[in-house]
Each structure stands twice: as C-alpha cells, then as structure tokens.
Amino acid sequence: MKFEDLLLEIGGFGRFQILILFILCLPRINLPMHFLLHNFLAATPSHHCAIPHQEAFVNLTMEEVLLISIPREPDGTFRSCEMFSQPQFHLLLNSSLQPENNSIIQHCQHGWVYDDSQFTSTISTQWDLVCEQRGLNQATATFFFIGVTMGAVVFGYLSDRFGRKAMLLLSLVCSVIFGMLSAASISYSMLAILRTLTGVALSGVSLIVLPLGMEWVDIQHRTFSGILTSIFWSIGNMLLAMVAYLVREWHWLLVAVTGPCLLSIVCLWWVPESARWLIANGKVKQAHRHLLRCARMNGRKDFAEDVPLTTYTQRIVLQWQHKKPGGSYSYISLFRTPVLRKISLCSGAVWFGVAFSYYGMSMNLTGFGLNMYLSQFVFGVIEIPAKMIMYVVMNRAGRRQSQAWALILTGLCIGANVIIPKPFTSLRSVVAIMGKGFSEAAFTAVFLYTSELYPTVLRQNGMGYTSFVARLGGALAPLVFLLDEVWRSLPEVTYCGVAVCCGSVAFLLPETLNAHLPEGIEDVE
C-alpha cells in the first residue's frame, strides 16, 4: 500500500488540506518582502559631492555653486563621484565650456549630498555606499543570499532529521529575531552580519513550506497546491511595493517586512507534522493521530484507521530498516546512485539558472523605463497570470517541457532588451514584463518539479541541495551589475546566456506528470 492510497481513504484534498495550505501561504507572503528588499533597502538616490561653504559663494545660487564646483556628464547632468579641486568661476560666464585638463578634477573629498525626494534614508545614504563603495552596497544582497545558501544546507538536512514543522517554527522565530536586530544596526558590518543570519533563517521557510504542504496532498491536486502556494509569493511581491512606497526610512522598512512573521508563528499551531515524514521515521502513533484528524475534518468518519495504516507502516518501515539498518540519509546519498546523480546534477544547473535570471531581472527595477515602485508592483502582478498559465501547461505538456521552455524564453527576453534601443521605453517595458512572467513561471515549475523528482527519504535533502545551488545564483546575480563598468550590456548578456544554457539542461530530467511520489531510492532507480 502506497501513502497516496492512504490519502485517498482519508481525503486527499479536503478542508484539512486547504486549511494547511492557506496557513503555510502566510510565511510564503513574507519571503519576497525580504528576498527583494535590497531594491529599496539599498536604493541609491541621485547624489553629488558635498561642497564646503566658501565666502565667495555668498551671492551665488545653489545651481551656480554646483556649476563651478562639479564637472558635468555629456548629457548635462552633474557627475556623482567627482568635483573640481578649485571653483571654476569662468563657467558662470559660459557653462558649456569643458575644463581644460583633468588634473583639476578629483574624487569627492567632503562626502555626498543626496536627493531625499524619494527616500528619507537608505543604507546607501546612511553609510555613503556610493562611488568607490558601490560594491559594498551590491554586496549587501550577496551577503543575504550567502546566508540563504548556508541555510538551505542546514535546514534541508535538519528538516529530514527532526521534522518539517519543528524546523519551520525555528526558522520563523530566528527570522523575527535577526530581522528586528537588523533594523537596529549601527554600522554596515553589523547590518551585513545580521542580514546574512536573516538569510539563513528565512531559507528554512523557503525550503520547508512547499514540501510540507505537498506531502499532505494527493497526486491530482499536487500541481494546484504548488501553484497556490507560489501565488502568495507574488502577493508578497506586490505588498513589498506598497510597503516600500509608504515606508521610506530603511530601519522602519525592515521592521515592517519582518513583523508579519509573528502572525505566521501563531498560525503554525494548527499545522500538523508531515504524516509521510512521521511514517518514514517510524513515528507511527503521531502519524496515526494526524491522519485521524485529517479524516475527521474531511468528513471521512468511516475511515478504517487501524488496518490500512498498520499495513502501510509495517511494510515501509521494515523495508527501509532492511535496506539501511540503523543509518540515515545525507547529501552524499543524492550522488550515490546513477539516476539520482543525474537528477541532482541537472536539477542543480536548472535551479542556478532560474534563480540567477530571476533575481537579475527583479533587482534591475530602474532598467526598463518604469518608476521603481510601479515596476515592483507590475512585476508582482504579471507573475499571477504566468503561474495560472503554467498550471495548465504543466498538466498538459508535462513538467520537463514546461520547465525548459520557460527558462529559455526568460533568457531570450533579457537578450532582446540588449538589442532594443533605449528610447523605445514602452517596447522595452513590455519585453521586460514578459521576461519576468516567464522567469516566474520557471521558478514556479522548478519548486514543484524538484519536489516530485526526489524520494520522501531524501526530499528535503534534495530541496536543500538545489536551494543551495539556487542561492549561489541569487548571491552572484546582484554582483553581475558591477560588470557594466566593463561593457554596459554585459550584465544582461550574462543573464541571457546562463538562462538559455540552464534551460536546455532541463530536457535531460525525467518526466513526473501523474507519477506517484517516490518513497525510497529504489523507486527512483
């Protein structure tokens, strides 16, 4: 007897499963509010060198002081990182004159003045993370994703060892603690460390929510459950735009996006541990209790509790003890057998490409000709129809084809915007929004697809490993923007190339449409 057969007897998709899925969707809303927070937390407003006051400036307007103190770009705007070593008073007579030699131009000596019309304060303005320090500003996102990368390994292992629910609760509590401490940071180093630890904690939420919900749902509703959970990520995306629009001060913005984790902690009380995991680990009595509760809520009061449960657990527990006496699975198990090794290598490549291109697009809000708050909101809105279409496509065309083409088309859209001239802002925006839709479709597919590829005994290890690889992509994505100093379009070309190559790798994975979730390694092999 398979666990799916047991689920059918107690109701594979009733009130019990709907309650669990909606409760698990609450922490899912919170994830993008942290994962994409860098767009607003570290936003860099327009700025120029601070000019110390001089007696000679008494009768000059601010515009005239800037004119004689700061060199200009070819388009007439003042440079952000340079100033004249001495005031160039002759520019008052003819502002179109260029300085005769570059020796009178130097880097900012007295700090910077920032335009505060859009942001009250960001970490860029707080610690002057501009010009030579621009790399540190981008690194803030990288530190966060390094934390998420480490957390993927830690929580992937721990949730297979100690259970889904306990580790989800631990990750939510740690997220609140580190998130609130981040808001109280008094130095860049403190913020960097605490954002890394927040990433570690939130990685557990990202990793556990989907499999915990999926393990309670029957085969027919598995795709629907994955898409439903994923839609709440998009809602979080839109909420981030609204919260960031209302809260323009970075300390309070961190508090605002961390607070909802408290609600998730309270609601987690009603979510049971995965019966699949309990049975796989020989905890039959606890599984029995949760399965009875599921049957009662779903109106299956005639459920013959003892026989099917006992039959199933005896078979599966004895089988696993025979296969692997006294041992436990680890990440090494993902690469021991031929089919699992191929799945792990290919799915790792796909996850890297999905995350790398997704965060590359999501962190370039100002590059498509829209207001950044509007871009964030529209990028969130477009994800919902993308997920709906993906739901239909994955059930018709299968997981493999859907995954591969969604990622390849993401890359082609990013590449198209390299070719389309900058003045065509409307066309660039449309292509960018389409690319964002494909990118989100690829992310939606990869979560569901991966959870179906790995057996129950290794599912969280598998998700942990693939999330680890994905977060490497997420950590590298913001740093790629620094390549624009080599060639302006090099970041986009890089995102495009990686997405197309990794999308092609998805064709090597097995199809899982309408297949039973594998329980042990022998089911995969």
Side-chain angles (χ1 to χ4, degrees):
M1 184 179 211
K2 289 281 185 182
F3 188 82
E4 273 81 7
D5 301 324
L6 194 61
L7 267 182
L8 288 175
E9 289 205 28
I10 60 173
F13 195 77
R15 283 188 300 169
F16 181 80
Q17 282 84 358
I18 291 167
L19 174 68
I20 289 173
L21 287 173
F22 273 105
I23 291 174
L24 291 176
C25 284
L26 292 175
R28 187 82 177 153
I29 289 176
N30 218 221
L31 287 176
M33 298 177 82
H34 272 280
F35 278 54
L36 302 176
L37 183 63
H38 180 79
N39 289 332
F40 306 99
L41 183 74
T44 304
S46 57
H47 53 279
H48 59 75
C49 299
I51 310 301
H53 182 71
Q54 296 183 25
E55 289 296 324
F57 295 167
V58 172
N59 295 320
L60 299 179
T61 63
M62 192 61 212
E63 187 67 25
E64 289 171 332
V65 171
L66 292 177
L67 187 65
I68 62 175
S69 304
I70 298 176
R72 294 203 281 184
E73 301 288 359
D75 64 1
T77 57
F78 293 108
R79 292 186 193 174
S80 301
C81 302
E82 293 174 331
M83 61 186 290
F84 294 124
S85 53
Q86 295 294 327
Q88 305 295 300
F89 288 102
H90 66 278
L91 293 176
L92 290 172
L93 301 173
N94 187 352
S95 61
S96 62
L97 288 173
Q98 291 296 316
E100 293 170 7
N101 60 65
N102 286 331
S103 62
I104 59 170
I105 296 175
Q106 61 185 7
H107 292 297
C108 299
Q109 303 295 308
H110 312 283
W112 287 264
V113 174
Y114 299 94
D115 175 13
D116 60 1
S117 61
Q118 192 170 15
F119 301 99
T120 307
S121 78
T122 68
I123 63 168
S124 294
T125 63
Q126 176 97 26
W127 293 300
D128 290 332
L129 304 179
V130 293
C131 302
E132 294 88 353
Q133 301 295 314
R134 179 184 167 218
L136 284 178
N137 191 32
Q138 289 298 103
T140 315
T142 299
F143 289 138
F144 176 80
F145 282 109
I146 286 172
V148 177
T149 305
M150 295 188 294
V153 179
V154 173
F155 281 103
Y157 172 74
L158 291 179
S159 62
D160 268 348
R161 189 76 188 272
F162 300 108
R164 293 17 174 170
K165 183 178 176 179
M167 290 303 105
L168 180 56
L169 182 61
L170 177 65
S171 63
L172 282 168
V173 170
C174 291
S175 298
V176 172
I177 294 168
F178 294 134
M180 293 301 182
L181 287 174
S182 298
S185 297
I186 54 173
S187 68
Y188 176 78
S189 302
M190 181 178 173
L191 179 78
I193 291 167
L194 286 167
R195 282 298 285 163
T196 305
L197 292 172
T198 306
V200 172
L202 283 168
S203 184
V205 180
S206 172
L207 199 66
I208 298 166
V209 162
L210 185 68
L212 179 54
M214 294 273 290
E215 288 178 355
W216 274 107
V217 174
D218 61 22
I219 293 176
Q220 290 74 21
H221 295 91
R222 211 188 292 154
T223 309
F224 174 77
S225 305
I227 303 292
L228 177 70
T229 311
S230 186
I231 281 173
F232 280 82
W233 169 283
S234 305
I235 293 171
N237 241 332
M238 292 182 273
L239 284 175
L240 173 61
M242 291 188 279
V243 171
Y245 182 79
L246 295 171
V247 184
R248 307 293 182 98
E249 211 279 337
W250 73 267
H251 299 91
W252 289 109
L253 181 58
L254 266 167
V255 171
V257 299
T258 303
C261 284
L262 291 168
L263 178 62
S264 299
I265 291 170
V266 173
C267 291
L268 201 61
W269 177 265
W270 287 277
V271 176
E273 180 56 270
S274 164
R276 238 182 237 274
W277 179 85
L278 289 169
I279 292 171
N281 286 272
K283 301 186 179 186
V284 179
K285 286 185 179 176
Q286 288 181 54
H288 193 189
R289 194 169 64 247
H290 293 318
L291 288 164
L292 282 173
R293 181 184 159 203
C294 175
R296 279 196 298 271
M297 274 193 74
N298 288 344
R300 301 292 180 93
K301 292 177 182 174
D302 57 340
F303 170 55
E305 60 260 36
D306 293 317
V307 179
L309 182 64
T310 308
T311 306
Y312 174 75
T313 51
Q314 281 178 348
R315 187 191 74 79
I316 201 135
V317 172
L318 287 172
Q319 177 185 326
W320 288 346
Q321 284 174 350
H322 173 72
K323 295 271 183 191
K324 186 184 58 63
S328 62
Y329 294 104
S330 68
Y331 288 106
I332 298 167
S333 306
L334 297 172
F335 299 94
R336 279 201 177 119
T337 54
V339 178
L340 259 181
R341 189 183 308 124
K342 180 183 175 184
I343 286 172
S344 298
L345 291 172
C346 293
S347 61
V350 173
W351 270 83
F352 181 89
V354 168
F356 187 74
S357 54
Y358 179 86
Y359 289 108
M361 293 199 77
S362 298
M363 291 181 178
N364 187 23
L365 293 182
T366 56
F368 305 114
L370 294 172
N371 166 288
M372 70 182 301
Y373 298 104
L374 184 59
S375 290
Q376 178 69 41
F377 189 80
V378 170
F379 277 5
V381 169
I382 194 64
E383 289 181 0
I384 293 178
K387 291 174 203 287
M388 301 292 190
I389 294 167
M390 202 54 168
Y391 172 62
V392 176
V393 172
M394 286 184 80
N395 278 333
R396 296 281 173 84
R399 298 357 185 182
R400 180 171 52 196
Q401 295 288 334
S402 305
Q403 180 66 73
W405 284 110
L407 190 47
I408 290 168
L409 289 169
T410 300
L412 294 178
C413 285
I414 296 172
N417 260 348
V418 175
I419 301 164
I420 299 170
K422 287 278 197 289
F424 292 83
T425 52
S426 298
L427 180 59
R428 284 174 61 81
S429 296
V430 169
V431 172
I433 289 165
M434 282 174 59
K436 188 64 168 64
F438 286 126
S439 177
E440 180 53 38
F443 228 133
T444 302
V446 80
F447 261 106
L448 179 67
Y449 194 15
T450 308
S451 65
E452 292 180 343
L453 286 168
Y454 288 107
T456 300
V457 291
L458 277 170
R459 188 162 296 120
Q460 285 299 147
N461 276 325
M463 295 296 284
Y465 152 72
T466 50
S467 288
F468 170 82
V469 179
R471 301 321 166 196
L472 283 179
L476 290 172
L479 295 181
V480 171
F481 289 122
L482 299 175
L483 294 177
D484 64 359
E485 293 175 7
V486 179
W487 175 39
R488 195 143 192 87
S489 297
L490 188 54
E492 287 80 9
V493 170
T494 307
Y495 294 127
C496 169
V498 170
V500 171
C501 291
C502 293
S504 303
V505 172
F507 289 117
L508 302 174
L509 289 166
E511 182 56 71
T512 60
L513 179 63
N514 294 328
H516 284 281
L517 280 181
E519 304 289 356
I521 291 176
E522 68 282 355
D523 295 335
V524 175
E525 296 298 318

